[in-house]
Amino acid sequence: MALGDKISNAAEDLAGKAKEAAGKAKGDERLEAEGQGDQTKAQAKQVGEDVKDVFR
């Protein structure tokens, strides 16, 4: 996996965690769910990159 992809996935995961925390603090369920979705998306990308690495 390219270093840029790792950084991008980590940044997306952190942004999702921040959104989730902000949503919890504000009581905004939509923002909280959006943050969780961003984290899931970043984790899915990470798994896809890991699978590609196995076959290289």
Side-chain angles (χ1 to χ4, degrees):
M1 175 190 329
L3 181 60
D5 291 335
K6 284 184 180 183
I7 292 170
S8 175
N9 291 340
E12 188 170 359
D13 188 50
L14 286 174
K17 287 180 183 181
K19 278 185 185 179
E20 182 180 4
K24 282 183 182 179
K26 290 175 147 184
D28 185 342
E29 291 179 8
R30 184 194 62 78
L31 185 59
E32 188 177 344
E34 187 177 320
Q36 290 171 347
D38 288 349
Q39 289 176 65
T40 301
K41 188 167 88 170
Q43 291 166 356
K45 286 180 183 179
Q46 180 68 39
V47 169
E49 291 295 327
D50 290 345
V51 168
K52 285 198 288 187
D53 285 346
V54 168
F55 290 102
R56 286 187 189 176

